[in-house]
Amino acid sequence: MNSMTRACSQVVDLLFPRGCAGCDSPDDVLCEDCMALFSRSSAQTFDGVAMGSWFACGWYRGTVRQAVLAWKDHGDEECDRPFSETICRLAETSGVIDFIHDRQNSYRAVFVVPAPSSHASMRRRGRRHMIPIVKRLASFLQRQTGCKVTVCDALENKGVKGKSVQTKGAAQRSQRLKGHVSVRSSVSLQNTMVILVDDIVTTGATMRSCVETMRKNGATVITVLALAHTPAGKQMDEPMQAQ
Ligand SMILES: [Zn+2]
């Protein structure tokens, strides 16, 4: 967001107080009901990570989808805080804290790595929306485990040039981005423990590619934490299952 846009949005905020990013109920960044939808965490089996599963806070549909898109694509930066809190809670409930605590002496460093954004999407959004989330997660993990945990922006995504990226379906897009992810030449992941954090996991192709790349570069990937996911084989309009 540039300064002019920011100034305009501040004026708009004064005239029209904000509504919940998920359901638009008044005076909340993310209301209690919508926040609760990010507490339906689920584990997905994945043998590429040391914990054997990756985890998501909520199902990418309905108000969850609405809220994530408001934050990710429409610059709702006030969601940084509630989304950081849900990711921290997920780290706690999924057992990441104990995992790090028990193994910290065997590794050189513990890194929290944000999923990479392509240059095109960074330009479009004007910021790296994952950065505030991973920063808060790293300091939370450091407090909880008592060992040093730092953000490491290890991955880059060369992406695909041109408009086609936006018009393709999620599966095709993931397929196209796969293989374009690499570890930055300035970063060493040898003998490190790494947690990958992503916003939305749909097919999982990009996530797997990120994990694979980091492992090839010497990292032990503990797990992946995501804000929202599309469960395999489920349709967007299926009713929410109670958990
Ligand atoms: Zn709401």
Side-chain angles (χ1 to χ4, degrees):
M1 212 186 280
N2 65 34
S3 58
M4 190 63 194
T5 322
R6 202 180 295 273
C8 288
S9 93
Q10 281 166 355
V11 171
V12 170
D13 287 349
L14 283 174
L15 295 174
F16 309 101
R18 66 160 301 142
C20 166
C23 69
D24 215 28
S25 78
D27 300 330
D28 257 323
V29 175
L30 199 61
C31 76
E32 232 171 81
D33 289 350
C34 288
M35 192 69 171
L37 296 175
F38 284 92
S39 309
R40 294 167 177 254
S41 62
S42 62
Q44 320 293 321
T45 311
F46 178 23
D47 57 12
V49 294
M51 288 180 75
S53 299
W54 65 274
F55 303 90
C57 300
W59 187 344
Y60 186 60
R61 66 190 286 279
T63 50
V64 166
R65 180 170 182 272
Q66 181 77 25
V68 172
L69 290 179
W71 166 71
K72 178 177 175 169
D73 286 341
H74 302 288
D76 193 346
E77 295 179 23
E78 284 182 281
C79 287
D80 288 354
R81 180 173 290 276
F83 285 165
S84 302
E85 285 166 9
T86 65
I87 287 282
C88 289
R89 208 180 316 124
L90 185 64
E92 202 164 25
T93 57
S94 60
V96 169
I97 291 165
D98 291 340
F99 193 96
I100 296 173
H101 191 262
D102 296 347
R103 291 162 184 81
Q104 53 179 300
N105 294 327
S106 318
Y107 293 88
R108 177 174 68 80
V110 184
F111 290 148
V112 177
V113 176
S117 302
S118 70
H119 293 301
S121 61
M122 265 190 279
R123 266 198 308 275
R124 196 171 66 240
R125 295 180 187 128
R127 71 168 191 147
R128 291 280 309 277
H129 61 291
M130 293 305 294
I131 298 296
I133 308 280
V134 290
K135 279 185 178 165
R136 287 205 175 96
L137 177 62
S139 51
F140 173 78
L141 291 174
Q142 178 155 317
R143 275 199 309 277
Q144 298 293 316
T145 60
C147 70
K148 193 169 164 58
V149 181
T150 48
V151 169
C152 179
D153 194 11
L155 297 170
E156 61 184 342
N157 187 342
K158 294 278 165 43
V160 184
K161 285 205 171 80
K163 269 184 174 172
S164 56
V165 180
Q166 286 161 46
T167 54
K168 298 279 184 192
Q172 273 173 295
R173 182 174 160 273
S174 305
Q175 202 51 48
R176 283 163 67 93
L177 293 182
K178 199 183 173 196
H180 292 270
V181 176
S182 56
V183 173
R184 292 180 199 280
S185 55
S186 56
V187 169
S188 166
L189 294 179
Q190 282 302 327
N191 194 28
T192 60
M193 269 197 288
V194 163
I195 298 153
L196 177 68
V197 185
D198 205 350
D199 46 16
I200 309 155
V201 175
T202 48
T203 65
T206 311
M207 174 191 82
R208 282 163 204 278
S209 164
C210 291
V211 168
E212 225 170 88
T213 306
M214 290 195 288
R215 289 181 64 186
K216 274 187 199 146
N217 281 266
T220 296
V221 182
I222 301 172
T223 189
V224 183
L225 301 178
L227 262 184
H229 78 127
T230 310
K234 301 272 184 187
Q235 296 301 312
M236 298 288 285
D237 53 357
E238 275 185 48
M240 180 72 75
Q241 302 289 316
Q243 288 180 15

